[in-house]
């Protein structure tokens, strides 16, 4: 039991959550994250395609590779303003590849 308890304590996150969100997100999606004390990292839109800048998401995920806190992605499937659709399968793949939810 003591080994299990010690292992669980070592696995606990010591840093506040970091949330990855696009600049397209509605305030109602961002407000709970702000109120929780999480760090929010915004991913810009690729100016040539109008889609999420996936290279920027990869760069931020790499920046937080050794981070000892929850890593959470919160992305809309599409923008109700521009009609742009995000590749949610690719976003999920990138997040999971980097131990993010």
């Amino acid at each position: 039991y003591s080994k299990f308890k010690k292992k669980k304590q070592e696995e606990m996150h010591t840093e506040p959550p970091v949330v990855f969100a696009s600049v397209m997100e509605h305030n109602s999606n961002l407000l709970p994250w702000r109120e929780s004390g999480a760090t929010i990292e915004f991913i810009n839109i690729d100016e040539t395609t109008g889609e999420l800048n996936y290279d920027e998401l990869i760069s931020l995920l790499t920046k937080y590779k050794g981070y000892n806190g929850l890593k959470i992605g919160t992305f809309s499937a599409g923008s109700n303003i521009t009609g742009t659709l995000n590749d949610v399968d690719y976003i999920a793949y990138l997040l999971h590849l980097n131990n993010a939810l």
Side-chain angles (χ1 to χ4, degrees):
Y1 173 77
S2 63
K3 286 183 181 180
F4 175 75
K5 187 174 181 181
K6 183 177 180 182
K7 184 174 182 178
K8 281 293 189 187
Q9 288 174 341
E10 290 171 357
E11 291 175 0
M12 291 175 48
H13 299 292
T14 58
E15 301 289 332
V18 62
V19 175
F20 303 97
S22 77
V23 295
M24 293 187 286
E25 300 310 311
H26 191 274
N27 188 52
S28 63
N29 183 7
L30 300 173
L31 188 59
W33 300 117
R34 286 187 181 121
E35 291 176 351
S36 76
T39 300
I40 302 175
E41 292 282 2
F42 288 100
I43 292 87
N44 291 306
I45 304 304
D46 185 315
E47 292 181 17
T48 57
T49 65
E51 296 178 3
L52 187 73
N53 188 328
Y54 300 108
D55 290 336
E56 190 173 328
L57 174 58
I58 292 167
S59 177
L60 281 170
L61 288 167
T62 301
K63 173 184 169 184
Y64 284 93
K65 185 174 182 113
Y67 190 71
N68 191 19
L70 284 176
K71 295 178 280 188
I72 304 163
T74 180
F75 297 94
S76 300
S79 169
N80 63 349
I81 296 172
T82 64
T84 301
L85 298 176
N86 288 321
D87 186 345
V88 293
D89 292 332
Y90 186 53
I91 293 170
Y93 169 77
L94 292 174
L95 292 170
H96 293 164
L97 189 65
N98 289 277
N99 296 318
L101 303 172

